[in-house]
Amino acid sequence: MEWWQQLGFSSEAEAIARGESEEVFNRTRNITPDTTSDMDKETELIKEFVGSQKVEDKESVIPDNTETPSKYIIVQGTDGRYISQQDAAGTYTDANVQAEIDRLNSQRDASLLANKSSGGGSSSGGGGGVYTPRTSDVDYTPVESTGLSTKEEAKLRFPYLDERLIDVYVQGFIDTGDSQLAILQMRSDPLMETVYPGIRKTDGTLRMTEQEYIVAKEFMELELRNYNLNPQVFGEDIVEAISGDVSPQEFSERLQTGYQNIVQNIPQVQEVYMREFNLDLNEESIFGMFVSPRLSTAVLDNQIRQSQIIAEAETALGSSALTVAAARGLQQQGLSQAQARRGFQGASTILPGLSGGAERFGRGPISETEYVQATELGDQGIAQNIRRVESQITSASSAAAGAKQLRTGEVVGLEES
């Protein structure tokens, strides 16, 4: 009997297709007689197993006594995200299914985000395993912004800043997008020295902040007002004090010390100015020259004298009685405060009747300034005009007192000159 017949095959080709061979058959038979019975039993078992297999099977089935691992496939859930589903024909196991699910869901999320950012619509159908859930149409009504503009916000944050510097700050913020850098850019702008003269040191750094500068300047101005001095006259001196690192407290102490020393010598100083310069200066004028030595005596006296003339006119005639230009003209003609007081007081009592008479006689009105020029400054042309008006008023009064009207309507006893 052939070896393949002994193994239960119908042909040698079938035995070879099943993985058997004559060599293997003979080797398994190469045993001692003592063990023939045992081998015969094994042979019988092999024959029985092989005979139970169907000849038409193309693949051999190898029994496996180990537990078969679970198999999975990956599907999309109702929410569109990927999940695992057990399936005997699946290609995934417990060891790798979750990692693949995570990868697919990450890819899905990234795709959805990219689609949303680009404004693209949703896609449907298969391909690529990417799922885009449906979205419902939602009406969108844009809301108008009620926020402040950059400049308005800057004004609220820096209410003490000059409008020009606000514009520089806003431009700096637009350029850099950073408020601190915008402040630095503003402070490096040449406009800082224009708005806050003296705030910058020679090395370009600031002596103080903008707020500190404003407080210091206002404090010094208030101290000058306490001594009846106009701060506008001493603007350069305030800047010089700031540039010289003079603190507000030190500025106040200097004023106090200087005023005490000057007040003690006011009579003597006034006498010197009257004798040498023919200037009748009051305490404020003399102290003002101490505060600002750079101002010449003529400039300082003129500024103060004009204010004194205006004050005397308003005292006698009421507010806005004299313009600054008229006061300057009287001051330039040499009108003193005492003359202004006497002249405007006379104008307040005499001028109403005098001006009325001048108008009645066709000579035109006489102003308060003309009256003072005539009576205090010796303007002969105006003085002569005033005397003629006075003479006409007197003659008219006399004529009215001595005149007599006849029955015929004629007036007698009136002589006109």
Side-chain angles (χ1 to χ4, degrees), residues 3 54 69 154 159 165 190 208 241 303 313 335:
W3 66 269
K54 294 182 179 180
L165 290 177
M208 60 191 75
Q303 291 173 333
L335 185 69

Side-chain angles (χ1 to χ4, degrees), residues 74-77 79-82 100-101 103-116 121-134:
I74 297 177
V75 297
Q76 284 183 316
D79 61 350
R81 298 185 67 79
Y82 291 96
E100 182 65 10
I101 289 175
R103 185 188 71 80
L104 290 173
N105 281 329
S106 296
Q107 182 182 5
R108 169 187 176 275
D109 293 343
S111 178
L112 288 175
L113 180 59
N115 190 41
K116 180 179 179 181
S122 61
S123 60
S124 59
V130 178
Y131 172 77
T132 304
R134 293 182 179 180

Side-chain angles (χ1 to χ4, degrees), residues 319-332:
S319 60
S320 302
L322 197 64
T323 64
V324 174
R328 184 183 301 112
L330 292 174
Q331 170 265 316
Q332 290 174 349

Side-chain angles (χ1 to χ4, degrees), residues 173-232:
F173 186 80
I174 293 174
D175 294 340
T176 65
D178 187 284
S179 59
Q180 295 300 321
L181 290 178
I183 283 288
L184 293 176
Q185 184 170 321
M186 180 196 73
R187 288 175 172 171
S188 64
D189 194 280
L191 190 60
M192 276 289 292
E193 187 65 28
T194 302
V195 178
Y196 306 115
I199 195 174
R200 200 185 304 279
K201 297 180 181 179
T202 54
D203 60 1
T205 59
L206 301 184
R207 288 187 167 85
M208 60 191 75
T209 66
E210 298 82 4
Q211 272 185 300
E212 292 171 341
Y213 184 97
I214 294 172
V215 171
K217 185 172 180 289
E218 290 181 349
F219 182 90
M220 294 178 182
E221 290 176 348
L222 180 61
E223 286 296 301
L224 290 171
R225 289 190 181 96
N226 291 336
Y227 294 96
N228 295 324
L229 297 178
N230 183 1
Q232 295 179 354

Side-chain angles (χ1 to χ4, degrees), residues 14-90:
E14 182 182 354
I16 293 174
R18 283 294 190 175
E20 300 294 341
S21 67
E22 184 177 5
E23 181 183 357
V24 174
F25 176 80
N26 292 332
R27 189 169 57 249
T28 59
R29 293 298 183 274
N30 189 19
I31 56 177
T32 62
D34 296 336
T35 58
T36 301
S37 59
D38 292 335
M39 290 303 297
D40 289 342
K41 292 179 181 180
E42 182 179 352
T43 300
E44 292 298 326
L45 289 174
I46 292 174
K47 289 180 178 180
E48 182 181 354
F49 169 74
V50 173
S52 65
Q53 303 300 311
K54 294 182 179 180
V55 177
E56 64 271 13
D57 289 345
K58 300 301 181 182
E59 296 180 359
S60 61
V61 178
I62 302 175
D64 188 356
N65 294 328
T66 60
E67 184 179 354
T68 302
S70 299
K71 300 297 184 66
Y72 301 95
I73 62 173
I74 297 177
V75 297
Q76 284 183 316
T78 56
D79 61 350
R81 298 185 67 79
Y82 291 96
I83 60 175
S84 63
Q85 179 177 305
Q86 196 167 5
D87 192 309

